[in-house]
Amino acid sequence: MTLQAGRSRRDPIRDASEGAMLRLMGPASALSGEERTLLRRLHRFREMFSAGQVINEEGEPPPAQIIVEGWACRQRLLPGGGRQIIDFLLPGDAIALADPIRPLDLESTVALTRVESMDAVLLREIFALNDGRHDVLKQLFAAGRRREETRLIDRLVRLGSSSAQARMAHLLIELRDRQRWIGLATGDSLQMPITHEQLGDALGLSVVHVSRTLTALKAERLISVRSGWITLLDEDRLTAIGGYRAGQPRLH
Amino acid sequence: MTLQAGRSRRDPIRDASEGAMLRLMGPASALSGEERTLLRRLHRFREMFSAGQVINEEGEPPPAQIIVEGWACRQRLLPGGGRQIIDFLLPGDAIALADPIRPLDLESTVALTRVESMDAVLLREIFALNDGRHDVLKQLFAAGRRREETRLIDRLVRLGSSSAQARMAHLLIELRDRQRWIGLATGDSLQMPITHEQLGDALGLSVVHVSRTLTALKAERLISVRSGWITLLDEDRLTAIGGYRAGQPRLH
DNA sequence: CGTGACGTTGATATGATTCAACTTGAGTGG
DNA sequence: CCACTCAAGTTGAATCATATCAACGTCACG
């Protein structure tokens, strides 16, 4: 858990990462100059997590953070030793920014890939001021929280009622949409940096069946898989199979 | 959809119902006199729904309401014609009290039994005033909303990872706890006024399998069933089977 | 050039669904 | 008061989807 300030001024790596940071807010153009400056300042203080590392432990109060790079997940550990992944967290997604107090926290947050996050405690405090000077940013995160809740219900519905193929199709489209939104994917491809086991933990399927399901989708020419990437070959049919209805990223 | 004012002053039916209304807030003792008066006033304006009636339609902005009597559910309709029940709403539970704006509302709310609800638009406005005079009540509903979210995740986890028996056991304990909390159940019994089909829609099981699952639980002497009631005979084992962890009704 | 994590494939087992028949119980009208 | 009807629940048999077990392939990395 390395806490480090931004590097020297003209470091190209920092600039690229900072670009991602701004882009991930979607229509960053709507942000005021003050809001951009704030984000840039926050971005200097970030933490790194390696794949598999626990970002916050079950039962502990989660510190407010925003994912800048990499994938993480919210999960619940199961009595039998397994886990259920509740939601994937992608760049731009916030951890505990909104509602820090939970009745009984049985969830933990874990990095699925290498993750870079920035501290957002200050952001929460600024939002609490209600000074009106950061309202666009505030709205942006509020919208994110609403999308998160919608995804939660989407998952619940699909776990309760869909076949393996339907769940997979839906998840793939969801992830493609989210990645497009933050500029990580263009066209019909999406990054898929996680293992079948992790997919299975999210979809409520065994590793073996994740493999079979993907193979079936490939055989039906619905998707193609390169290492680390998946391309959606027939979005209409995937949408039909997954029963997907776009949860468009509305801002207000 | 009958909107009617309270009946005459000393109507015993109204009084009983009003008692339930106050009790359902749990530790009603903590409410100020002003808050009680407010609730009583609100309680004069209520709506009745018969079993099966839609309380609010998919896609329409839900009016703020509080269930006073009966069971309702939030649900999503499925492409195939079925539905997934997302959550059960019991007396004291609020509809759309907190967060009226949703990104894309695919849910509807439906009465499962005869339901009596009271209008809570005024309540929402009063809360928005932030005058500090109704804070206990506000906290009470905020806590309810948090419990609701916890239940959502509970459901998601169980749909993704548990067997039919485990899901059923967990749901029964959850419902018993909730009914106890609002004074509708005492001891180890709970009211079960809904059909196997409705249970199945919530648990992601077929009607037939709901029946089989309950029969199995009966055979193992874990529950007993009378018409409209279920008694939990061995709470420890049910808890173990369902992987239940109490989401205790905390207030702050 | 092992070694270990990840993915694939086949065989088998199991839990849940579906279809169909039958039972039960609560109205409802004669 | 009885007979009819309809919704809900139960039970058995066949089928289907997914899990489990096991073996093997492949690739990255020390």
Side-chain angles (χ1 to χ4, degrees):
Chain A
M1 211 140 107
T2 319
L3 188 66
Q4 64 172 52
R7 307 172 195 204
S8 67
R9 273 229 134 189
R10 291 257 55 86
D11 182 334
I13 294 176
R14 198 199 77 167
D15 288 356
S17 165
E18 192 179 292
M21 172 60 214
L22 289 177
R23 197 180 50 203
L24 60 77
M25 309 286 352
S29 53
L31 294 180
S32 71
E34 192 169 0
E35 287 168 323
R36 284 158 189 279
T37 308
L38 173 62
L39 279 184
R40 259 188 227 100
R41 183 157 26 225
L42 288 175
H43 187 248
R44 307 184 104 168
F45 297 94
R46 31 195 217 281
E47 287 185 66
M48 305 295 188
F49 300 89
S50 53
Q53 211 179 334
V54 176
I55 295 179
N56 77 69
E57 205 74 54
E58 187 176 345
E60 288 183 9
Q65 280 168 94
I66 297 167
I67 307 277
V68 179
E69 264 187 55
W71 289 35
C73 71
R74 292 165 64 201
Q75 64 174 27
R76 276 247 195 122
L77 297 175
L78 302 172
R83 66 167 164 189
Q84 175 70 44
I85 290 180
I86 296 163
D87 198 7
F88 291 111
L89 300 174
L90 269 48
D93 289 328
I95 302 174
L97 184 57
D99 201 343
I101 311 138
R102 305 221 170 207
L104 179 65
D105 223 11
L106 304 170
E107 296 165 46
S108 46
T109 309
V110 175
L112 295 174
T113 66
R114 189 184 150 283
V115 162
E116 189 182 327
S117 76
M118 65 186 213
D119 191 280
V121 174
L122 181 60
L123 203 57
R124 190 161 66 193
E125 283 165 9
I126 286 172
F127 287 162
L129 287 180
N130 255 323
D131 62 1
R133 279 157 54 200
H134 303 87
D135 276 358
V136 177
L137 202 53
K138 202 172 171 178
Q139 294 294 334
L140 233 38
F141 280 110
R145 198 163 7 105
R146 266 177 268 132
R147 286 198 300 275
E148 190 183 322
E149 206 196 317
T150 304
R151 282 200 304 273
L152 219 67
I153 295 174
D154 270 351
R155 298 245 154 82
L156 187 154
V157 170
R158 275 174 291 132
L159 286 175
S161 67
S162 304
S163 69
Q165 280 208 20
R167 291 183 216 172
M168 182 67 78
H170 195 290
L171 180 61
L172 292 178
I173 301 177
E174 178 205 303
L175 289 172
R176 200 277 316 268
D177 282 358
R178 288 173 71 185
Q179 291 187 21
R180 232 188 220 171
W181 169 245
I182 57 177
L184 284 181
T186 52
D188 297 320
S189 293
L190 63 142
Q191 291 181 39
M192 180 50 67
I194 63 175
T195 66
H196 287 187
E197 191 182 3
Q198 291 162 341
L199 276 174
D201 288 344
L203 297 172
L205 299 172
S206 67
V207 201
V208 175
H209 207 61
V210 168
S211 172
R212 286 195 226 273
T213 305
L214 287 172
T215 305
L217 292 175
K218 278 186 267 182
E220 294 173 54
R221 308 240 164 267
L222 292 167
I223 63 170
S224 72
V225 180
R226 276 163 294 161
S227 138
W229 289 84
I230 292 182
T231 304
L232 311 185
L233 299 176
D234 190 336
E235 194 170 334
D236 291 348
R237 272 173 66 214
L238 281 171
T239 305
I241 290 171
Y244 189 82
R245 307 201 200 168
Q248 61 271 64
R250 277 179 34 179
L251 298 181
H252 32 197
Chain B
M1 209 142 108
T2 319
L3 187 67
Q4 64 171 56
R7 308 175 195 201
S8 67
R9 275 233 133 184
R10 291 256 53 87
D11 182 334
I13 293 176
R14 199 198 78 166
D15 288 355
S17 164
E18 190 178 292
M21 171 62 213
L22 290 177
R23 197 180 49 200
L24 59 77
M25 308 286 348
S29 52
L31 294 179
S32 71
E34 193 168 2
E35 288 168 322
R36 285 159 187 278
T37 308
L38 172 62
L39 280 184
R40 258 188 228 101
R41 183 155 28 221
L42 289 174
H43 187 248
R44 308 184 105 168
F45 297 94
R46 34 194 214 282
E47 287 184 66
M48 304 293 188
F49 300 90
S50 53
Q53 210 179 336
V54 176
I55 295 179
N56 78 67
E57 205 73 54
E58 187 175 345
E60 288 182 12
Q65 281 168 91
I66 297 168
I67 308 275
V68 179
E69 264 189 54
W71 289 35
C73 72
R74 292 165 64 202
Q75 64 174 27
R76 275 248 197 122
L77 297 174
L78 302 172
R83 68 168 166 189
Q84 175 69 45
I85 290 181
I86 296 164
D87 198 7
F88 292 111
L89 300 174
L90 268 49
D93 289 327
I95 302 174
L97 184 58
D99 200 344
I101 310 139
R102 306 222 168 204
L104 180 64
D105 222 11
L106 304 169
E107 296 165 46
S108 45
T109 308
V110 175
L112 295 175
T113 66
R114 189 182 151 285
V115 162
E116 188 181 328
S117 77
M118 66 184 213
D119 190 279
V121 175
L122 181 61
L123 202 56
R124 190 160 69 194
E125 283 165 11
I126 286 173
F127 287 162
L129 288 180
N130 254 324
D131 62 0
R133 280 158 51 202
H134 304 87
D135 276 359
V136 177
L137 201 54
K138 202 172 172 179
Q139 294 294 334
L140 232 39
F141 280 111
R145 198 163 6 105
R146 267 178 267 131
R147 286 198 301 272
E148 189 183 323
E149 207 196 318
T150 303
R151 283 200 304 271
L152 220 64
I153 295 174
D154 270 352
R155 299 244 154 83
L156 187 153
V157 170
R158 275 172 292 134
L159 287 175
S161 68
S162 305
S163 69
Q165 278 209 20
R167 291 183 215 172
M168 183 66 78
H170 195 290
L171 180 61
L172 291 179
I173 301 177
E174 179 205 303
L175 288 172
R176 199 277 316 264
D177 282 358
R178 289 173 71 186
Q179 289 186 21
R180 230 186 221 173
W181 169 246
I182 56 177
L184 285 182
T186 52
D188 297 319
S189 293
L190 62 143
Q191 290 180 39
M192 180 50 67
I194 64 176
T195 67
H196 287 188
E197 191 182 5
Q198 292 163 340
L199 275 174
D201 288 344
L203 297 171
L205 299 172
S206 65
V207 202
V208 175
H209 207 58
V210 167
S211 172
R212 285 195 225 275
T213 305
L214 286 172
T215 305
L217 292 176
K218 277 186 268 180
E220 294 172 55
R221 310 238 164 268
L222 292 167
I223 63 171
S224 71
V225 180
R226 275 163 294 159
S227 138
W229 290 83
I230 292 182
T231 304
L232 311 185
L233 298 177
D234 189 337
E235 193 169 336
D236 291 347
R237 274 172 68 213
L238 281 171
T239 304
I241 290 171
Y244 189 82
R245 306 200 203 168
Q248 61 272 63
R250 277 180 35 181
L251 297 182
H252 32 195

